[in-house]
Amino acid sequence: MSGFDFDLFVIGGGSGGVRAARIAAGHGAKVAIAEEDRFGGTCVNRGCVPKKLMVYASRYPMEVASAAAFGWQASATGFDWNTLIGNKDVEIERLNGIYLRNVEASGVTVFASRATVVDPHTLQLADGRSVTARVILVAVGGHPDRGHDFPGRDLAITSDDLFHLPALPRRTLIVGGGYIAVEFAGILAGLGSDTTLLYRAEHLLRGFDDELRLALEDAYRQRGITLWPQARVARIDRAGAALTVTLEDGGTLEVDCVLLCTGRRPNVAGLGLEAAGVELDDKGAVRVDALSQSSVPSIYAVGDVTNRVNLTPAAIREGQAFADTVFGGKPTPVDHAVVPTAVFSTPELGTVGLTEAKAREHHPQLKVFRSSFRPMKASLSGGNERVVLKLLVDGADSDRIVGAHMLGEGAGELIQLLGVALTMRATKADFDRTLAVHPTVAEEWVTLRTAS
């Protein structure tokens, strides 16, 4: 490392950056990391973790409503937003501390500061200090995109703001049809907010399997969530304590909160990357190769800032692979082909592999195994929820499972295990000879017999 202050300098203390720093230090590198906010990144502070805690909170009213059928006398007497937010903040603070302690315990030098790139080997900290590194890793994540501009857009909030609202909105309009919008619609509706979901497309969750998209829309309507497809906001006006939202087709609605969930953008503004010669795509994401190397040989990038697979586990895997490649002497490309993921709506949606539409493009002899049924729990509670399972199989000689999709309770947990099976290139015959666990929802995966 002759001539450099560090072997590796990581910009960003999120999941990907922290993993890369710790693994590189374990390989013997002298490592520094800079984080201007709190450690843990979007996932811990403004994403996965606080969102999942709120998902749990939003499901309690449904459990209370079902309790009487199982002999319990229970009632939801009131919900206190500030208690939830306060307890959430305590947990996030605890996780921040764990991230920081783990980094420091790995021997990594921590700079609680913003760092910008000056040239391929030089960085400047917010206090004016300059440091040099043989390798720079950009792991700065992304931020909410507020979507198209319109009068009154500043009256709306983003998902970052929602976690710190002083009170639960009585009426909420959520703009967007992706997984973030869908998840917050389920959360707010479950907590008692009158929720409307407005989106430009004909259906929710573009890129997910069409059959499950439609099933989730039906489930949301049954929960009382208003779906407003093929619409865009034209303006927002303050109307006393409320907001009047006017749509491009002239329709209006009055709400107390407008939540913009219209995607995310890489955090590259003011970072100095382009001046250093790093190529960015049209969305501002860092262009990288299979080993996460940018157009500048000494600068790498992982996580959401590359806009490859914008999921925390992907960032962690990319950070590990980067460190093993550059400092462990083991070139390790990350395979993004099989990515299990879940939408923490209520009901949950889990997916891995190809959608049916994509599978038919690649596998002309596709076999589709599906099941839709009322879960056992609903037989006493009288609920109208349904579970939808779908298994896609290459009908040619391989018999390989190329996609699995589920809508229903526990979908996120089950799809993780199915991700193992698809990664191992399991076949339908492998599933068929697996004994079922009865009575469970999961047994349906190994008892599907009739294909369409």
Side-chain angles (χ1 to χ4, degrees):
M1 79 167 217
S2 175
F4 297 111
D5 297 321
F6 298 97
D7 295 314
L8 171 65
F9 195 103
V10 180
I11 308 176
S15 299
V18 166
R19 175 60 63 91
R22 295 179 63 195
I23 298 302
H27 286 312
K30 184 179 181 181
V31 181
I33 189 169
E35 173 54 59
E36 63 179 321
D37 193 2
R38 296 183 295 177
F39 273 82
T42 296
C43 180
V44 169
N45 295 295
R46 297 172 292 277
C48 327
V49 174
K51 174 196 67 185
K52 188 69 179 289
L53 294 173
M54 295 177 79
V55 168
Y56 288 136
S58 72
R59 292 176 178 171
Y60 276 98
M62 299 174 66
E63 295 299 317
V64 171
S66 300
F70 293 89
W72 290 96
Q73 300 305 311
S75 62
T77 57
F79 167 69
D80 188 83
W81 170 265
N82 290 324
T83 296
L84 171 62
I85 297 303
N87 289 339
K88 178 267 297 180
D89 288 343
V90 170
E91 174 61 8
I92 300 309
E93 189 71 25
R94 184 184 73 85
L95 294 175
N96 293 149
I98 290 174
Y99 265 78
L100 179 57
R101 288 193 296 273
N102 286 343
V103 169
E104 292 175 331
S106 299
V108 176
T109 300
V110 175
F111 293 98
S113 171
R114 178 175 176 79
T116 56
V117 177
V118 176
D119 62 41
H121 297 285
T122 308
L123 304 105
Q124 185 170 43
L125 303 179
D127 62 7
R129 285 181 293 171
S130 291
V131 294
T132 59
R134 180 169 65 86
V135 175
I136 296 171
L137 177 66
V138 180
V140 294
H143 63 273
D145 182 356
R146 298 180 71 88
H148 72 288
D149 196 12
F150 54 82
R153 191 178 67 168
D154 60 324
L155 296 173
I157 66 170
T158 69
S159 56
D160 286 359
D161 307 310
L162 181 72
F163 295 116
H164 305 287
L165 285 181
L168 174 69
R170 185 169 62 88
R171 301 162 300 176
T172 306
L173 171 66
I174 300 176
V175 180
Y179 76 93
I180 296 175
V182 167
E183 289 175 337
F184 278 113
I187 289 170
L188 292 169
L191 295 179
S193 182
D194 183 357
T195 303
T196 299
L197 193 52
L198 181 146
Y199 43 100
R200 291 183 300 173
E202 185 178 358
H203 297 290
L204 295 170
L205 296 175
R206 179 173 58 87
F208 287 78
D209 188 85
D210 290 339
E211 189 171 344
L212 273 74
R213 295 168 72 190
L214 296 177
L216 180 61
E217 288 177 1
D218 288 342
Y220 264 27
R221 290 189 182 98
Q222 290 176 15
R223 290 189 62 193
I225 298 172
T226 300
L227 302 185
W228 203 325
Q230 298 180 300
R232 294 218 315 172
V233 175
R235 65 179 301 118
I236 303 175
D237 294 289
R238 174 70 67 186
L243 300 172
T244 298
V245 181
T246 303
L247 307 184
E248 289 184 347
D249 64 3
T252 61
L253 66 160
E254 188 174 277
V255 296
D256 302 293
C257 176
V258 177
L259 173 62
L260 301 178
C261 297
T262 48
R264 295 180 65 81
R265 292 274 180 175
N267 278 331
V268 295
L271 206 57
L273 294 177
E274 289 182 289
V278 175
E279 291 183 8
L280 307 179
D281 68 14
D282 58 352
K283 293 186 177 180
V286 179
R287 295 185 187 274
V288 293
D289 63 15
L291 297 177
S292 295
Q293 189 175 40
S294 78
S295 57
V296 176
S298 62
I299 299 179
Y300 292 71
V302 298
D304 289 6
V305 75
T306 68
N307 199 31
R308 288 178 286 183
V309 176
N310 295 341
L311 297 169
T312 297
I316 293 172
R317 179 65 57 85
E318 290 164 9
Q320 171 96 37
F322 155 79
D324 288 340
T325 296
V326 179
F327 298 100
K330 183 181 178 182
T332 308
V334 176
D335 184 2
H336 295 97
V338 179
V339 180
T341 190
V343 179
F344 290 104
S345 48
T346 302
E348 283 181 9
L349 191 158
T351 182
V352 61
L354 300 175
T355 64
E356 181 177 346
K358 285 292 183 183
R360 290 195 182 280
E361 293 178 10
H362 298 281
H363 305 281
Q365 300 180 51
L366 186 72
K367 293 181 179 179
V368 180
F369 296 83
R370 53 169 57 85
S371 179
S372 177
F373 57 94
R374 193 184 191 198
M376 182 184 236
K377 185 177 181 181
S379 64
L380 290 191
S381 68
N384 55 11
E385 63 265 30
R386 297 192 67 79
V387 175
V388 180
L389 304 178
K390 191 171 185 179
L391 204 60
L392 308 177
V393 179
D394 179 10
D397 293 339
S398 76
D399 191 41
R400 185 166 60 90
I401 297 170
V402 297
H405 311 277
M406 175 180 175
L407 184 72
E409 185 176 354
E413 304 292 342
L414 291 177
I415 215 68
Q416 174 66 86
L417 298 180
L418 288 173
V420 176
L422 267 70
T423 300
M424 295 178 68
R425 302 177 69 83
T427 64
K428 183 63 168 62
D430 292 327
F431 274 46
D432 290 344
R433 65 170 172 264
T434 301
L435 286 176
V437 178
H438 182 74
T440 65
V441 167
E443 68 180 296
E444 292 287 324
W445 291 114
V446 297
T447 56
L448 293 167
R449 292 292 180 264
T450 304
S452 59

